[in-house]
Amino acid sequence: MAVQPRATLDDVARLAGVSSKTVSRVYADRDVVAPETVDRVLTAAKRLRFRPNTLARRLRRGGGTNTIGFVMGDLGNPFYYKVAGGIEEELRRSGYSLVVATTDDTPDGEERVADALLAQRIDALLLIPAADDQSYLEGERQLGTPVIAIDRPARNLIADSIVLENHRGTYEAVSRLLELGHRRIAYACNPAEVYSQAERVRGYRDAMASFGVQDTADLERLADDRTIRAETIIGELLDEPDAPTAIVTGNNRMTIGALRALRARPGTTAPALIGFDDFDTADVLGVTVISYDPVELGRQAARLALERIGDPGGFTRQIDLPTWIVARGTGERPPGDLQR
């Protein structure tokens, strides 16, 4: 099928029998054009399937694009698309559009996709940092483009951020398990070096130390290799001669891996399990989780972006979004015969 060329403003003017300037006025400020002329121009535009380039017009006037970019990780992770949903919901109320790009959670992809979005002259950039250094955005920030870091603060860059109460979440989860009598409580996560996980590990260690358990090295499984399956990591813990009586997992993928590892060992008495991040079937499976509202995380990030667009010179802020425990059964198991 042959592709037809797009109609131009001049094409509309010829069909409507007016000048090109008149067509421009109709789309810029139709109140200054006679109603019958407006009707002729709009009718001609509809016949030609003409769409005005509003982006180019705004840029010529020195204005913004009413578009905000969001750099996120793997689309297969529900966390990311729920955050994106919250961002889009908040921006829609203010007349902004959202453009999303994914890094697949790889540091190398972050700068590339961020640059691609910034080339579209977006009004603000929201990102979930995957790289160790966001200083490449400093020049753009100095030009007035707000940068909002989500879930993890930006590194080597002055930027607003919104993060979870990661330390508090794991501290409370581990404390609950300790109060049930558990002492061999394992913590497993992959990745481990990102800010959110470092804070969760710190919460785990602080809670253990508060009950006199100072050395947790043999109970920690901190991986930074996406090729390692979560069930493999948990399986190794379960197969230890002195296996943990409880496990706290650092994200939803690790929690699901724990469930798979336990299913593969039907004769094993299940340890208590609390996972960071809720997920769609956790209630059906009776999994206790450290929960939060990812949609609200997106909403708050969008509000920060809009606030910074309106006040580019304001002080940067970090917002901590609360977490809470949702008790469903797996996290309430006592140590019983498993206690060593």
Side-chain angles (χ1 to χ4, degrees):
M1 182 184 73
V3 177
Q4 296 180 355
R6 286 189 177 273
T8 66
L9 186 142
D10 290 338
D11 295 331
V12 175
R14 279 193 294 271
L15 184 59
V18 298
S19 68
S20 298
K21 287 185 178 180
T22 299
V23 176
S24 294
R25 289 193 193 99
V26 168
Y27 285 104
D29 186 7
R30 65 185 59 179
D31 290 340
V32 302
V33 183
E36 60 273 15
T37 303
V38 171
D39 289 342
R40 292 210 326 264
V41 168
L42 295 180
T43 299
K46 185 175 181 179
R47 286 182 57 188
L48 294 170
R49 297 189 291 275
F50 171 76
R51 293 182 184 276
N53 191 336
T54 55
L55 173 59
R57 183 183 300 116
R58 287 196 192 106
L59 292 177
R60 280 197 301 271
R61 293 177 176 177
T65 61
N66 276 30
T67 302
I68 288 178
F70 176 39
V71 178
M72 67 179 194
D74 179 12
L75 270 175
N77 190 332
F79 168 75
Y80 293 122
Y81 63 71
K82 288 179 180 178
V83 172
I87 295 170
E88 198 278 332
E89 177 186 316
E90 191 66 29
L91 294 182
R92 187 172 59 244
R93 297 192 187 106
S94 300
Y96 281 79
S97 298
L98 179 66
V99 179
V100 176
T102 62
T103 64
D104 199 30
D105 281 328
T106 60
D108 294 341
E110 180 187 301
E111 184 171 355
R112 173 178 50 81
V113 298
D115 284 344
L117 288 177
L118 291 167
Q120 299 181 42
R121 299 286 294 275
I122 54 177
D123 294 333
L125 178 69
L126 291 76
L127 80 159
I128 297 177
D132 293 332
D133 185 2
Q134 281 73 48
S135 60
Y136 66 91
L137 292 169
E138 179 58 25
E140 191 69 31
R141 188 191 69 83
Q142 291 181 8
L143 291 172
T145 305
V147 178
I148 312 297
I150 303 174
D151 191 43
R152 310 155 192 169
R155 295 184 181 181
N156 302 317
L157 179 74
I158 299 172
D160 295 290
S161 61
I162 177 163
V163 299
L164 300 174
E165 291 183 337
N166 294 289
H167 177 277
R168 177 174 170 269
T170 51
Y171 188 96
E172 289 186 349
V174 174
S175 296
R176 287 166 64 98
L177 294 169
L178 288 162
E179 288 165 1
L180 282 173
H182 294 278
R183 291 299 179 269
R184 290 195 58 75
I185 304 170
Y187 186 88
C189 64
N190 184 14
E193 290 189 353
V194 296
Y195 166 87
S196 53
Q197 287 300 337
E199 286 296 290
R200 293 170 194 177
V201 172
R202 189 170 67 86
Y204 159 76
R205 290 172 179 168
D206 286 350
M208 294 288 278
S210 71
F211 272 69
V213 184
Q214 300 292 338
D215 186 5
T216 57
D218 67 322
L219 293 166
E220 296 177 9
R221 294 297 184 274
L222 314 180
D224 274 294
D225 184 349
R226 293 186 65 196
T227 64
I228 303 176
R229 294 168 61 86
E231 49 264 49
T232 300
I233 295 172
I234 300 297
E236 290 174 356
L237 272 172
L238 296 173
D239 293 338
E240 289 285 339
D242 198 12
T245 64
I247 300 173
V248 177
T249 50
N251 57 34
N252 50 13
R253 283 181 283 200
M254 189 61 67
T255 308
I256 293 169
L259 296 173
R260 287 174 176 157
L262 287 166
R263 186 180 62 182
R265 293 163 175 76
T268 302
T269 302
L273 174 66
I274 300 179
F276 209 113
D277 298 333
D278 209 345
F279 56 97
D280 287 344
T281 56
D283 56 338
V284 177
L285 298 171
V287 181
T288 298
V289 296
I290 304 162
S291 189
Y292 53 90
D293 188 345
V295 176
E296 182 61 20
L297 186 68
R299 291 193 197 103
Q300 295 262 13
R303 289 173 198 150
L304 268 177
L306 295 171
E307 177 184 316
R308 190 61 59 224
I309 290 170
D311 182 18
F315 291 108
T316 56
R317 295 197 293 141
Q318 176 171 305
I319 296 174
D320 297 298
L321 199 72
T323 62
W324 56 87
I325 305 291
V326 180
R328 296 189 177 117
T330 60
E332 291 65 54
R333 298 167 182 156
D337 295 337
L338 287 177
Q339 185 69 56
R340 302 300 196 270

